[in-house]
């Protein structure tokens, strides 16, 4: 069942991008949902622009949270 697979993938994550479907956001409030739903697109645009300039190195998961603390209201 697709719903069960999505729930398993999400786990404690607030969002997922689904090829051909868009995004799903699962949080407790509308303000946080809007915040989380908005920022993946500008982040992806910046990533694509950076890739056009030079080879990117992928940071370790802990490094991302150190540089960008978990967003939210």
């Amino acid at each position: 069942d697709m719903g069960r697979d999505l729930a398993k993938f999400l786990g404690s994550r607030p969002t997922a991008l689904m090829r051909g479907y868009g995004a799903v956001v699962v949080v407790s409030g509308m303000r946080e949902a809007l915040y989380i739903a908005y920022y993946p697109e500008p982040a992806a645009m910046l990533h694509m622009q950076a890739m056009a300039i030079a080879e990117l190195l992928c940071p370790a998961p802990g490094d991302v949270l150190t540089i960008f603390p978990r967003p939210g209201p």
Side-chain angles (χ1 to χ4, degrees), residues 11-23:
S12 63
R13 297 177 193 99
T15 189
L17 297 175
M18 301 177 296
R19 183 179 38 190
Y21 293 96

Side-chain angles (χ1 to χ4, degrees), residues 1 21 34 38 42 44 53 55-56 69:
D1 173 56
Y21 293 96
L34 292 172
Y38 173 77
I53 296 170
E55 179 182 348
L56 295 179

Side-chain angles (χ1 to χ4, degrees), residues 2 16-18 22 31 34 38 44 48-50 55 57 60 62-63:
M2 288 175 45
L17 297 175
M18 301 177 296
R31 183 177 177 176
L34 292 172
Y38 173 77
M48 288 183 355
Q49 291 169 354
E55 179 182 348
L57 300 175
D63 294 342

Side-chain angles (χ1 to χ4, degrees), residues 20-35:
Y21 293 96
V24 62
V25 177
V26 182
V27 292
S28 61
M30 181 60 76
R31 183 177 177 176
E32 187 178 9
L34 292 172
Y35 187 87

